[in-house]
Each structure stands twice: as structure tokens, then as C-alpha cells.
């Protein structure tokens, strides 16, 4: 119900009124619509009383505001707001101020051209405080819309609002700072506040006794400090010290986080960090957030000027008004007792850590923070009970650790131990944060690596690797272990805790970063034969080969590097080839796009220790390539064909194609603890009597646990093996030639080559006349031999009739056994030959360079042809 609106009758009666003037009329109304109609009256008294009634009406509830809006009262009030009569526009402003909480009113005022300029004019100094209060209230509601913010700024509203911040009326301050805080979403408004010197007034509001005003002032500063110029101005005003003292005041605890966020914005400037480091503000901040007894606050600029003015006069003179020191009260000189230190909120410690993390990304700021020993504060936060504080401190340390000196100081200040404790805790996010820091702290830092070991971090790290953890965790663990592996002592400790078994699952991960780290770990740790053998036992080669052709450059590079390191012995090399590693590398080499610096070296290493594959793919064995038992010749590999292990060739049915020639003539002088067995790729491997196996660091006693128990997801198996039959004929040939060459032991190499060439030719059917090669029957005896052995695999010693490639292979095999080095070269159309390096003159002459000679094993056995001679060219040409 609207309050009754009345106009009183003159007590003297109607006699004084002219005849043409209407007698005063007393009107009573309980309907809002009637009162709204009165807003169109031309009489001041009616307007004032009507607006007073409406003011009380809208104060009651929001429904009343909506009712007045529906009655179209706002346009009438806006018209009255522009009145030159102060009483009228005051009352209109009061009603509009309350109604501006309604969204419809806000939109109307925003879209009405004269509304905002009129409200800003009402903020002039000659207006009443109540007008200022409700005008700023209107503006604060209009500023909730971005277009309203722009209109206020364009009509110079910021300057008027800044003046209102100095008003003694707290409501005016409240609505003014609220409007400013909302306008700070606009970058032009943020710039304008600084240019109009509004920062001191906003800073002054931090001292207000009303929390709501302090909160809005802090929100304004938070947005204002996003601009560089404003941060510079605040630094010049000494705002950093004021904010730090604000944080150190326990009565403002609820706003400490906001204050730290403002500091975080300011800390992005190098000059700010340098200034607070020099004037002690940074030290005071650290003392406050670490709950230590803070040092006294640094003097402000005004205090410094005052101190300079009050300096003592020269000796023998007294300053005017100076008192006798003897009469000074003792209490004035006595130091006051320090106030008890209240612990800062965990959120404050967290925000300070994130502030360090943010600003320390700048290299110059990192140096300044490191010089202030900020690492000590962050290390202390690592021991805090709140996981969020630990995570924030860890991230800050991670960024600080990009500075080498900071990395060293973190270790020397005892930062490794709390990080190790964090990775053993229950919180996964804390673990990841700690691992991320340890990963960078151990880079090129031996001290920190040993500290991880001394703190008992090796077993927890490997336990995380062996259990199902997230990709980020596994990646960081692998990075730490790789960093530690640069020290032999630490590498052996890690390997002793079953590292190799833990590398299989990361290799099978779908995360490229984890794959790359796992492959790099293999090239870092798997250096000894026993380690490579262990990797084969846990089926670690297969996942490595599967990601060898990854689309990720780093994964491919690290995998090819791992293959290069692993290809150090025949068993490992043959396992890689069996699983298709060589084929993948060849495809990478052919493509040219996906190749890298390790591709060529990896292929060379694989072929160096797998001569069967090398001869099939390259077609040449050098003198340094010594053929051993288990070698087999499958002929020239055609493009697109895979080089298979011998056991797979054995499974093929007997065919009329070229047989596979195998070498197996053990001398019976193996070492005691070695057993020669042929594995799935057809070559020999040494199986040693293994010692005690590595233990799982996640279990205290694994004596009764099997490999399947420890790793149920991994299927362990040994590939099928091809049982090689001893080549008795080859053994007999070796014994015979050794007896024949016994008298020539100290003769020139040339003489022994000739003797061996004639011996090989004799065992393979004797010399063949030139032009009669096609008449030489060699295919039928070999076919009969295949069917006799029921296999496509034939021992080379059992071939009694052979041509070029049979004789060349036998010459190379026997020569390697009796120390007559030679090359084995494959040609076209079943051609092959041997090349030997022989000096042209006897040994008692001055030494001469060796020259390549081709050995005739077919037409004139024992004839040595110079490599560039016509006879040699005719011998190697089909």
C-alpha cells in the first residue's frame, strides 16, 4: 500500500486565495498507479511527496520495484532526475537508485542516452551526500553490463568516481569502489584509473574499517595490476610494502589470499622484484608466510624524509625545542614486546608459491629470487600438511630449478628428502608434483642424484614404475632414473632392483613421451650381456620393435639408439631381427623422411652381429666378419622379402628352389658354463648358469614368487629352437687343412691362400674347364641331398659338387677357422668370390700396401687375380 499523499489546507482559510485559484485539496491514495500519475504534476510539493512515498514503497520488497517498472515510472523519474530543482532530482535519484537493482531498469538506463551523463553530473561536489550515494548505486548496477562500463568511461565517469572515494560517507565509498571494480574488466578503464591518479585513493581504502570496502578495493587492485603502467605506479607508491603489511595483519585474514594475488601480478616485473629485494619487503613477506618472527617493516618514504629532517645538530649545539635526554621517559626507549605470530592460512602459502612459480619463469627474476634464498621457504612448504601447499611449492621449485645454482642450493638446503617422502604418500597429485621436481633437480647434478639414493628414493621410484601408474608419473620416474644412471654406483643399484622388468609396460604405453623415455632408459641401463639377456627373458625387445616406426620423432630416435646399444652380441641381435627390427629399420632407411642419425648405425650394428642377415641383405662379408657356427646362407634377399630365422625356413616344405646352406662344426672347446643352442632365428646363443635374479622393490620377500606372479600381465616364453646337426664333413675338412698347412705355418699368406683354394676346389668337384660350367652337374646332387635330409637346409660340408657360390662360402668358413682372412662377395647368377689382401713383395723388403686379389676356386684353383685385372673382371662377370 502506498502511503497517503496529501496537500494541507491553509490555516488562515480561503479568503487570501484569488478567485481563479483552486482550493487546496487533500488526496489520499493506496494505489501505486495513482502515485505514479502524480509524477507528472507540475507542483513541486506533490512531486516531492509522491517520490517520498515511492521511495518507502520500493524499500519493502523487489516485487514493488517490479510493479513500479510495469507502471512505467522509470521514464518519469529519469525526466525528474534532470530537473534543476535539487530537491526534485534528489528524490528522483533516491527512487531510481533503489529501482536500479532490477535488471529491466539497468537495461533501460543503459540504453537511454541521457541517463548515464545525468547520473555522472549528480556526482559533482555541490550535490548532497544522499544524491552521491544513490547515483553511485545506479552506476554500480549499470556497470554490471559491459556496454554500461564503456558509456560510463566515455562520459568521464571514472574521474567522478575517484573523487567519491574520498567521501566521508562510507556508502558512497562502497558504491564508488564497487563501480570501479566492475569497470576494471575493461582494459581502457584500467588504464584510465592510473592516468587519473586514482591508485592512491584505492590503496587508502585498504585501511577502511568496513570489510566489504576492503574486499572491493582488493578486487579493483587485482584487475588494475594486469596493466604494466599501473604496476609501475603502484611500485612507486610503495604499494608492495603496504600489501605485505596487510598480509601480516591477522584481522584481515579473510582477504590475505586476494592481497597475495595482487602481489603475484606485480611480481611479473623485474624492477619490482629487485626493489622489494633491496628494501627488505621480500624478506618480510617470507617471514610472514613461513610463520617466523617478521623483521620490522621497512620505513616508508615519508618516514625516511621525516627522519632526515630530525637528524641531530652538530656537536655542542642543541636543536630548538630539544629535550634533555635525562628526562626522557624510560618507556620510550624500552623495546616493545613482539606480538605473537599467528600462522598464515594454507591458502596464503599456496598462493605465494604459485606467485613464485609464475614470476620465476623469467630468467632474471629467477636469479634475484635465488639470491634471496627463496628455495628455503619453498622447501619448508614441502613439509606442510596441506597437499595443495605441497603441490604449489613443488611447481615453484621446478621452475626455480631451471637455474643451475638454484638446483644446487635446493639439494644443499635439504630439499631432496621431503620430495622423496612426498612420492611415498597416498596422494597421487602430490606424487606427480614431487616427481616433476626431482626430474629436473637431478639433471646434470650428481649431488642431488646421490641425495635421492641416500634418502631412500630408489626403491619407491622403481615401485612406482612396476605398479600401474599414470603416464605422467611413469615419465618422470624414468627421467629421474636416467639422470641417476650417469653414476655407475647408482646405475648398479637401480638395476639390482629389477629395473629391466619395469621397462616393458612403459614401452607398451600409448603415450609418446613415456615410450621415448622407456627407450632412452634401455639405451642407458642395458649395457652388459647379463642385462641384455634379462631384457630378452622378460620379452622387452618386442614392444621396443613395435614402436620403432612410431610417428613421433623422439620415439623413433630413442628406439633406434636403443637398438644400436643392444646390438652388441649375437643373441640380442638375432632376437631383434627375429621380431622384425631389422626390417623396420630398412623401411625407415628407404623412406628417408623418418630416418635419423641412429638409423644407419643401428642397421650396421645388427648386421655386424648377424652375419647371416648381412650376407643376405648386403651381399658381402668383410675379412673382419668371422663366420661362426649357426651361420646360414639363404641367398640374395629380394625386395619385399623378410629375412627369417632358420627354424621358420625349416618348416617350409621341400621345394626345388635354392637350398639354405648352414655352418655348424663345433670344436668341442666351449667354456664350462656355456651351452650352445640354436634359437628361433637360426643362430647360436650362449646360455649361462644364471645367478640370483633381481628382486621386486615393491615386495620385501620374493623368494617364493615366480615371474608370472610378479608380472601377471606378461606372458613369458622361449621361442622354438632349431636343432643343428654337427657337420662332420666340415669338421673333417678343417682337421685335414690344418694338417696340410702345418709345414706352411710361417710362410707368406699368399702360399697358404693358394693351398686352401686348391683344397676347396678338390672337395667341391675339382677344376672346371672354361666354357664347360654348364656341363658341370651340380644341381642334381644337391637336390638328392635335400630329399635325403628331408629339408631345404643343407650343411655346407655335405656339398660334394659345387660351383662359385658353394666354393666361395666353404673357402670363407674354413679360412676364418685357420686364420686366413678373406672377404665373401655375392655376385649375379650364382656367382660369388673371395677377396684377399696380399702384399706384392716379400716381408724382408720394405713394407708395401696390400692389394686386393680375387681367388680362383673354379677354373684354375689357387690362381690370384689382381682386383683390377681383366682376368678378375671375367671371373666375376656372368
Amino acid at each position: 500500500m502506498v502511503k497517503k499523499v496529501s496537500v494541507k489546507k491553509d490555516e488562515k482559510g480561503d479568503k487570501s486565495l484569488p478567485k481563479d485559484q483552486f482550493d487546496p485539496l487533500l488526496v489520499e491514495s493506496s494505489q501505486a498507479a495513482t502515485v505514479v500519475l502524480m509524477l507528472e504534476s507540475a507542483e513541486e510539493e506533490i512531486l516531492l511527496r509522491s517520490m517520498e512515498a515511492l521511495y518507502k514503497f520500493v524499500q519493502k520488497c523487489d516485487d514493488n520495484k517490479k510493479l513500479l517498472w510495469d507502471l512505467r515510472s522509470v521514464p518519469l523519474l529519469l525526466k525528474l532526475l534532470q530537473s534543476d530543482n535539487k530537491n526534485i532530482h534528489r528524490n528522483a535519484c533516491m527512487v531510481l537508485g533503489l529501482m536500479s537493482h532490477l535488471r529491466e531498469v539497468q537495461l533501460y538506463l543503459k540504453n537511454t542516452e541521457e541517463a548515464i551523463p545525468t547520473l555522472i553530473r549528480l556526482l559533482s561536489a555541490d550535490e548532497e551526500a544522499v544524491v552521491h550515494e544513490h547515483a553511485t548505486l545506479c552506476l554500480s548496477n549499470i556497470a554490471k553490463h559491459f556496454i554500461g562500463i564503456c558509456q560510463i568511461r566515455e562520459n568521464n565517469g571514472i574521474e567522478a568516481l575517484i573523487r567519491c572515494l574520498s567521501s566521508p560517507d562510507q556508502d558512497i565509498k562502497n558504491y564508488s569502489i564497487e563501480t570501479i571494480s566492475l569497470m576494471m574488466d575493461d582494459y581502457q578503464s584500467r588504464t584510465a584509473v592510473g592516468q587519473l591518479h586514482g591508485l592512491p585513493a584505492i590503496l587508502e581504502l585498504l585501511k577502511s574499517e568496513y570489510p566489504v570496502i576492503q574486499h572491493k578495493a582488493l578486487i579493483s587492485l587485482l584487475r588494475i595490476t594486469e596493466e604494466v603502467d599501473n604496476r609501475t605506479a603502484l611500485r612507486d607508491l610503495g604499494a608492495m610494502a603496504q600489501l605485505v603489511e596487510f598480509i601480516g595483519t591477522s584481522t584481515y585474514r579473510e582477504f590475505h589470499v586476494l592481497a597475495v594475488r595482487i602481489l603475484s601480478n606485480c611480481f611479473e616485473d623485474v624492477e619490482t622484484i629487485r626493489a622489494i629485494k633491496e628494501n627488505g619487503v621480500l624478506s618480510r613477506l617470507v617471514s610472514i608466510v613461513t610463520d617466523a618472527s617478521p623483521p620490522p617493516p621497512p620505513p616508508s618514504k615519508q618516514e625516511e624524509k621525516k627522519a632526515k629532517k630530525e637528524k641531530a645538530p652538530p656537536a655542542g649545539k642543541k636543536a630548538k625545542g630539544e629535550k634533555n635526554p635525562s628526562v626522557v621517559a624510560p618507556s620510550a626507549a624500552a623495546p616493545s614486546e613482539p606480538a605473537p605470530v599467528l600462522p598464515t592460512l594454507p591458502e596464503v602459502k599456496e598462493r605465494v608459491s604459485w606467485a613464485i612459480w609464475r614470476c620465476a619463469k623469467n630468467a632474471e627474476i629467477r636469479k634475484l629470487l635465488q639470491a634471496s634464498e627463496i628455495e628455503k621457504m619453498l622447501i619448508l612448504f614441502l613439509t606442510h600438511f596441506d597437499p595443495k601447499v605441497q603441490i604449489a611449492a613443488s611447481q615453484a621449485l621446478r621452475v626455480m630449478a631451471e637455474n643451475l645454482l638454484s638446483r644446487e642450493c635446493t639439494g644443499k638446503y635439504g630439499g631432496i628428502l621431503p620430495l622423496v617422502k612426498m612420492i611415498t604418500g597416498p596422494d597421487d597429485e602430490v606424487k606427480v608434483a614431487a616427481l616433476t621436481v626431482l626430474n629436473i633437480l637431478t639433471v646434470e647434478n650428481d649431488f642431488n642424484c646421490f641425495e635421492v639414493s641416500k634418502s631412500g628414493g630408489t626403491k619407491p621410484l622403481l615401485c612406482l614404475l612396476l605398479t600401474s601408474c599414470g603416464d605422467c608419473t611413469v615419465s618422470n620416474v624414468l627421467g629421474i632414473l636416467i639422470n641417476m644412471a650417469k653414476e655407475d654406483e647408482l646405475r648398479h643399484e637401480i638395476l639390482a632392483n629389477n629395473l629391466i622388468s619395469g621397462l616393458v609396460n612403459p614401452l607398451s604405453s600409448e603415450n609418446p613421451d613415456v615410450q621415448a623415455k622407456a627407450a632412452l632408459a634401455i639405451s642407458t641401463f642395458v649395457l652388459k650381456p647379463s642385462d641384455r639377456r634379462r631384457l630378452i627373458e622378460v620379452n622387452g625387445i618386442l614392444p621396443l620393435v613395435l614402436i620403432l616406426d612410431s610417428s613421433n620423432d623422439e620415439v623413433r630416435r630413442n628406439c633406434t639408439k636403443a637398438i644400436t646399444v643392444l646390438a652388441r652380441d649375437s643373441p640380442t641381435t638375432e632376437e631383434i631381427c627375429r621380431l622384425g627390427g631389422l626390417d623396420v629399420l630398412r623401411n625407415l632407411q628407404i623412406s628417408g623422411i623418418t630416418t635419423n642419425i641412429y638409423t644407419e648405425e643401428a642397421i650396421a650394428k645388427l648386421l655386424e652381429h648377424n652375419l647371416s642377415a648381412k650376407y643376405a641383405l648386403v651381399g658381402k662379408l668383410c675379412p673382419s666378419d668371422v663366420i661362426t657356427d649357426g651361420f646360414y646362407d639363404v641367398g640374395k634377399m629380394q625386395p619385399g622379402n623378410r629375412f627369417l630365422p632358420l627354424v621358420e625356413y625349416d618348416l617350409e616344405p621341400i621345394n626345388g628352389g635354392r637350398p639354405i646352406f648352414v655352418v655348424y662344426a663345433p670344436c668341442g672347446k666351449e667354456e664350462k658354463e656355456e651351452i650352445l643352442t640354436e634359437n628361433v632365428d637360426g643362430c647360436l646363443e650362449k646360455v649361462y648358469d644364471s645367478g640370483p635374479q633381481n628382486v621386486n622393490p615393491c615386495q620385501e620377500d620374493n623368494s617364493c614368487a615366480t615371474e608370472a606372479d610378479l608380472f601377471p600381465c606378461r606372458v613369458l616364453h622361449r621361442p622354438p629352437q632349431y636343432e643343428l646337426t654337427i657337420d662332420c664333413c666340415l669338421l673333417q675338412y678343417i682337421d685335414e687343412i690344418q694338417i696340410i698347412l702345418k709345414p706352411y705355418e710361417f710362410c707368406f699368406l699368399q702360399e697358404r691362400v693358394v693351398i686352401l683354394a686348391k683344397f676347396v676346389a678338390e672337395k667341391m668337384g675339382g677344376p672346371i674347364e672354361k666354357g664347360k660350367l654348364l656341363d658341370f652337374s651340380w644341381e642334381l646332387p644337391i637336390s638328392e641331398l635335400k630329399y635325403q635330409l628331408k629339408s631345404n637346409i643343407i650343411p655346407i660340408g655335405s656339398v660334394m659338387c659345387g660351383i662359385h657360390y658353394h666354393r666361395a662360402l666353404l673357402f670363407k668358413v674354413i679360412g676364418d677357422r685357420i686364420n686366413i682372412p678373406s672377404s665373401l662377395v655375392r655376385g649375379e647368377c650364382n656367382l660369388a668370390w673371395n677377396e684377399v689382401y696380399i702384399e706384392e713383395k716379400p716381408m724382408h723388403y720394405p713394407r708395401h700396401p696390400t692389394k686386393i686379389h680375387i681367388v680362383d676356386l673354379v677354373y684354375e684353383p689357387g690362381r690370384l687375380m689382381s682386383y683390377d685385372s681383366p682376368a678378375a673382371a671375367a671371373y666375376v662377370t656372368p
Side-chain angles (χ1 to χ4, degrees):
M1 180 182 291
V2 181
K3 185 182 178 182
K4 177 177 69 175
V5 180
S6 63
V7 179
K8 292 183 179 180
K9 200 172 185 180
D10 196 331
E11 294 179 356
K12 296 181 179 180
D14 301 338
K15 296 179 180 179
S16 61
L17 293 174
K19 293 180 180 181
D20 60 346
Q21 187 172 351
F22 191 80
D23 293 338
L25 179 66
L26 179 65
V27 179
E28 293 186 4
S29 176
S30 60
Q31 297 297 323
T34 304
V35 180
V36 171
L37 288 174
M38 293 181 183
L39 296 178
E40 299 186 44
S41 172
E43 297 185 43
E44 178 182 349
E45 188 70 19
I46 294 177
L47 291 174
L48 293 176
R49 291 182 179 275
S50 299
M51 287 186 285
E52 287 177 5
L54 292 176
Y55 181 77
K56 294 177 181 179
F57 181 66
V58 296
Q59 274 186 318
K60 294 180 180 180
C61 63
D62 291 338
D63 291 338
N64 293 350
K65 298 182 181 72
K66 184 69 171 63
L67 177 61
L68 289 185
W69 164 257
D70 294 337
L71 293 173
R72 302 182 181 276
S73 63
V74 175
L76 299 175
L77 291 169
L78 184 57
K79 182 179 179 181
L80 296 173
L81 190 68
Q82 302 174 42
S83 172
D84 294 333
N85 189 309
K86 290 189 176 184
N87 293 329
I88 292 176
H89 69 234
R90 177 197 64 200
N91 287 9
C93 185
M94 292 170 62
V95 179
L96 270 179
L98 293 182
M99 290 190 66
S100 64
H101 291 295
L102 203 63
R103 178 175 173 80
E104 291 86 346
V105 176
Q106 298 168 10
L107 296 176
Y108 179 82
L109 294 175
K110 171 177 68 71
N111 296 325
T112 304
E113 184 178 356
E114 65 274 9
I116 293 176
T118 302
L119 289 169
I120 293 174
R121 281 198 302 271
L122 293 178
L123 298 179
S124 60
D126 57 345
E127 293 290 344
E128 299 178 36
V130 68
V131 176
H132 289 174
E133 175 186 346
H134 289 87
T136 52
L137 175 59
C138 272
L139 290 174
S140 67
N141 287 319
I142 294 173
K144 294 176 181 178
H145 306 273
F146 190 78
I147 295 179
I149 293 174
C150 298
Q151 291 177 347
I152 295 172
R153 171 174 49 79
E154 290 170 359
N155 286 278
N156 301 320
I158 296 178
E159 185 175 3
L161 289 168
I162 292 174
R163 286 197 307 268
C164 291
L165 294 179
S166 303
S167 171
D169 189 291
Q170 300 302 321
D171 289 328
I172 298 175
K173 287 183 179 179
N174 179 35
Y175 295 136
S176 299
I177 191 61
E178 181 179 357
T179 308
I180 291 175
S181 67
L182 292 171
M183 294 185 67
M184 292 305 98
D185 288 335
D186 173 37
Y187 79 95
Q188 291 181 327
S189 298
R190 292 195 294 267
T191 304
V193 168
Q195 293 174 348
L196 295 171
H197 308 290
L199 298 179
I202 297 175
L203 283 173
E204 191 65 26
L205 295 181
L206 296 181
K207 303 175 183 178
S208 174
E209 58 183 358
Y210 295 94
V212 64
I213 295 178
Q214 291 178 317
H215 179 260
K216 292 172 182 177
L218 289 169
I219 293 294
S220 301
L221 288 172
L222 180 62
R223 295 167 181 168
I224 285 171
T225 50
E226 294 177 8
E227 302 298 326
V228 177
D229 293 339
N230 290 338
R231 294 200 295 266
T232 303
L234 286 172
R235 182 177 68 241
D236 295 339
L237 292 170
M240 303 304 106
Q242 185 174 345
L243 288 168
V244 169
E245 289 308 310
F246 186 89
I247 296 170
T249 306
S250 59
T251 54
Y252 304 148
R253 286 169 68 88
E254 58 182 318
F255 302 131
H256 286 176
V257 173
L258 268 177
V260 173
R261 291 177 62 187
I262 298 169
L263 287 175
S264 178
N265 288 345
C266 296
F267 286 177
E268 288 191 10
D269 302 327
V270 177
E271 292 303 322
T272 299
I273 297 295
R274 182 177 288 109
I276 64 173
K277 175 181 176 295
E278 293 174 354
N279 62 21
V281 172
L282 181 59
S283 303
R284 183 162 174 79
L285 175 64
V286 171
S287 300
I288 291 172
V289 297
T290 54
D291 306 326
S293 297
S300 63
K301 292 184 177 181
Q302 294 179 353
E303 292 175 345
E304 289 179 354
K305 291 179 180 178
K306 186 177 179 181
K308 290 180 180 178
K309 291 180 180 179
E310 295 178 354
K311 279 185 179 179
K317 294 184 180 181
K318 273 191 178 181
K320 186 176 180 180
E322 184 179 0
K323 296 182 180 180
N324 192 332
S326 60
V327 299
V328 177
S331 59
S336 59
E337 295 183 2
V341 178
L342 294 176
T344 52
L345 297 171
E347 292 82 1
V348 174
K349 302 179 190 296
E350 178 190 358
R351 280 293 174 179
V352 169
S353 299
W354 284 121
I356 299 299
W357 168 81
R358 181 180 174 185
C359 68
K361 294 179 180 179
N362 183 297
E364 190 172 352
I365 292 179
R366 276 200 303 273
K367 292 179 182 179
L368 294 171
L369 293 175
Q370 193 283 320
S372 300
E373 299 181 344
I374 205 70
E375 298 89 351
K376 291 182 178 179
M377 178 192 75
L378 297 174
I379 292 170
L380 182 62
F381 288 171
L382 294 178
T383 61
H384 198 270
F385 66 88
D386 193 329
K388 293 182 179 179
V389 177
Q390 293 178 321
I391 293 171
S394 300
Q395 295 301 327
L397 271 177
R398 178 182 63 82
V399 178
M400 287 295 300
E402 295 180 16
N403 180 283
L404 294 177
L405 188 56
S406 179
R407 201 179 301 171
E408 294 178 2
C409 291
T410 301
K412 292 178 181 178
Y413 294 158
I416 302 298
L417 180 58
L419 288 170
V420 171
K421 290 182 179 179
M422 288 168 63
I423 67 175
T424 59
D427 195 310
D428 291 337
E429 292 185 8
V430 173
K431 287 180 184 178
V432 172
L435 290 169
T436 305
V437 185
L438 285 174
N439 191 6
I440 191 171
L441 286 176
T442 52
V443 173
E444 301 294 339
N445 195 302
D446 299 341
F447 179 82
N448 288 346
C449 290
F450 277 104
E451 283 297 306
V452 172
S453 177
K454 291 177 183 177
S455 302
T458 304
K459 288 187 177 181
L461 287 172
L462 289 166
C463 187
L464 289 173
L465 189 62
L466 292 168
T467 54
S468 298
C469 295
D471 291 337
C472 187
T473 299
V474 174
S475 177
N476 284 311
V477 168
L478 289 171
I480 296 167
L481 295 176
I482 291 169
N483 295 336
M484 295 174 65
K486 295 179 181 179
E487 297 295 327
D488 291 340
E489 179 183 343
L490 298 179
R491 185 173 68 251
H492 295 155
E493 178 188 355
I494 295 169
L495 285 169
N497 283 279
N498 209 14
L499 167 73
I500 295 178
S501 298
L503 294 177
V504 180
N505 285 335
L507 286 171
S508 305
S509 171
E510 296 181 358
N511 188 306
D513 185 55
V514 175
Q515 293 175 346
K517 290 284 182 63
L520 184 59
I522 288 179
S523 61
T524 304
F525 285 96
V526 187
L527 305 178
K528 295 183 178 180
S530 58
D531 300 329
R532 293 192 287 270
R533 188 166 62 252
R534 177 62 177 165
L535 186 64
I536 295 174
E537 290 173 357
V538 299
N539 291 340
I541 302 294
L542 178 59
L544 180 66
V545 172
L546 291 177
I547 60 175
L548 191 55
D549 58 349
S550 169
S551 58
N552 185 279
D553 293 338
E554 186 179 6
V555 174
R556 283 199 312 275
R557 182 172 60 252
N558 289 352
C559 285
T560 50
K561 181 180 179 181
I563 295 294
T564 304
V565 173
L566 291 174
R568 301 289 180 88
D569 54 47
S570 297
T572 310
T573 302
E574 292 153 5
E575 180 73 4
I576 295 171
C577 295
R578 179 183 73 83
L579 296 171
L582 181 59
D583 299 320
V584 175
L585 288 170
R586 289 177 63 206
N587 292 335
L588 294 176
Q589 184 185 37
I590 293 171
S591 71
I593 300 175
T594 55
T595 189
N596 57 72
I597 58 174
Y598 296 107
T599 305
E600 298 287 346
E601 186 179 358
I603 294 175
K605 284 288 184 180
L606 287 175
L607 297 179
E608 179 183 345
H609 293 282
N610 192 341
L611 298 183
S612 302
K614 182 177 183 178
Y615 190 48
L617 298 172
V618 180
K620 181 177 181 179
L621 297 181
C622 301
S624 58
D625 297 326
V626 178
I627 293 178
T628 57
D629 290 325
F631 175 88
Y632 56 99
D633 176 17
V634 298
K636 183 179 180 180
M637 293 297 298
Q638 298 300 324
N641 291 348
R642 281 192 61 201
F643 179 78
L644 301 176
L646 192 57
V647 67
E648 295 189 27
Y649 288 117
D650 184 53
L651 296 176
E652 295 178 356
I654 300 175
N655 53 54
R658 182 188 186 281
I660 297 169
F661 299 100
V662 66
V663 176
Y664 186 57
C667 299
K669 296 182 180 180
E670 295 81 7
E671 297 181 4
K672 292 182 180 181
E673 295 184 353
E674 295 181 7
I675 304 173
L676 292 177
T677 60
E678 201 283 321
N679 64 10
V680 70
D681 43 355
C683 295
L684 297 178
E685 69 173 1
K686 296 179 182 180
V687 181
Y688 295 87
D689 183 16
S690 59
Q693 297 295 318
N694 295 335
V695 296
N696 186 350
C698 298
Q699 299 181 8
E700 294 182 359
D701 184 10
N702 293 324
S703 57
C704 299
T706 64
E707 191 77 25
D709 295 331
L710 297 177
F711 310 101
C713 61
R714 193 176 307 147
V715 180
L716 299 174
H717 66 276
R718 292 297 299 155
Q721 297 180 349
Y722 177 78
E723 295 182 1
L724 289 169
T725 304
I726 296 178
D727 190 345
C728 298
C729 294
L730 181 57
L731 281 174
Q732 183 180 349
Y733 292 166
I734 295 172
D735 292 339
E736 287 181 18
I737 194 63
Q738 286 177 340
I739 295 173
I740 293 172
L741 291 176
K742 187 68 174 176
Y744 301 92
E745 185 175 358
F746 300 102
C747 293
F748 299 129
L749 176 62
Q750 179 177 352
E751 298 180 19
R752 290 185 286 132
V753 169
V754 172
I755 294 173
L756 178 59
K758 293 179 179 179
F759 177 82
V760 169
E762 181 185 350
K763 299 300 181 182
M764 288 280 185
I768 303 174
E769 294 183 17
K770 292 183 178 180
K772 302 291 183 178
L773 183 62
L774 295 177
D775 298 333
F776 184 74
S777 178
W778 60 275
E779 294 178 332
L780 182 60
I782 290 179
S783 298
E784 292 176 349
L785 192 57
K786 288 172 63 176
Y787 283 94
Q788 179 182 351
L789 297 174
K790 298 180 180 180
S791 174
N792 293 319
I793 301 173
I794 298 176
I796 188 62
S798 61
V799 178
M800 300 301 171
C801 294
I803 57 174
H804 294 76
Y805 72 94
H806 305 105
R807 301 185 183 199
L809 176 59
L810 184 62
F811 182 92
K812 172 67 173 172
V813 171
I814 297 177
D816 287 344
R817 301 290 178 105
I818 60 175
N819 197 24
I820 298 180
S822 65
S823 297
L824 175 61
V825 184
R826 190 195 307 278
E828 300 293 335
C829 301
N830 292 329
L831 287 181
W833 59 91
N834 300 101
E835 298 174 354
V836 293
Y837 294 81
I838 298 176
E839 290 187 15
E840 290 294 321
K841 296 185 179 181
M843 291 183 63
H844 60 269
Y845 279 88
R847 302 286 294 181
H848 288 79
T850 57
K851 190 174 182 180
I852 302 176
H853 290 75
I854 295 176
V855 183
D856 188 346
L857 300 174
V858 180
Y859 306 114
E860 299 178 29
R863 179 178 55 145
L864 299 178
M865 300 166 285
S866 179
Y867 184 78
D868 53 358
S869 65
Y875 186 81
V876 301
T877 304

